[in-house]
Amino acid sequence: MTPLLIISSTLITLALVFYSLGVWSERISRYLKAWHVAAFWAGFTFDVSGTYAMSKLATGPFDLLASHTLTGQIALWLMLAHAIWATYVVRKGSEKARTGFHRYSLIVWLIWLIPYLGGMFMGMAG
């Protein structure tokens, strides 16, 4: 196992930990708090960093239409939109927006799991 593979896997796993922590704690409390937003941003940052490190391990050309690449890109853009929107809601949103935000968070998290689990299975398959 190469050092870059260990680093990239660790970063992607930290993305899972932080993003899941933010999403599920928000879901349980049913109220969007500032620390949830910080967890979303941390998860996004770790995911982008891990994705970049993984791209350095890739041997073939970049193919946006490859299923893992496409779902990963969709997930990253959704995570970014989610974190931006959550930041706005915490700073200027209504109480109703803060209490209902968890629905959107859970959907984005479930979509994010598709490339995470896909990458994990691809890695196990070799």
Side-chain angles (χ1 to χ4, degrees):
M1 191 178 263
T2 67
L4 188 55
L5 181 58
I6 294 168
I7 291 167
S8 58
S9 298
T10 301
L11 290 169
I12 295 292
T13 302
L14 285 170
L16 174 69
V17 169
F18 279 92
Y19 207 65
S20 298
L21 177 68
V23 167
W24 284 102
S25 60
E26 179 207 0
R27 173 80 174 163
I28 291 166
S29 71
R30 299 269 201 272
Y31 189 80
L32 180 62
K33 299 173 186 168
W35 78 266
H36 297 139
V37 176
F40 299 155
W41 280 109
F44 174 72
T45 302
F46 282 124
D47 200 10
V48 169
S49 301
T51 300
Y52 176 75
M54 289 281 185
S55 75
K56 295 300 176 190
L57 293 169
T59 55
F62 179 78
D63 180 8
L64 182 60
L65 299 179
S67 62
H68 184 66
T69 304
L70 184 60
T71 58
Q73 286 294 310
I74 290 168
L76 281 173
W77 287 106
L78 278 173
M79 285 176 77
L80 177 60
H82 176 247
I84 291 170
W85 188 9
T87 302
Y88 175 80
V89 168
V90 164
R91 288 187 177 172
K92 299 182 181 190
S94 66
E95 287 298 304
K96 182 179 179 185
R98 288 180 85 159
T99 57
F101 197 82
H102 63 90
R103 290 182 205 99
Y104 176 60
S105 296
L106 190 58
I107 291 167
V108 172
W109 181 80
L110 287 168
I111 292 169
W112 182 82
L113 280 179
I114 295 168
Y116 178 84
L117 294 172
M120 185 177 69
F121 290 132
M122 285 172 31
M124 290 188 309

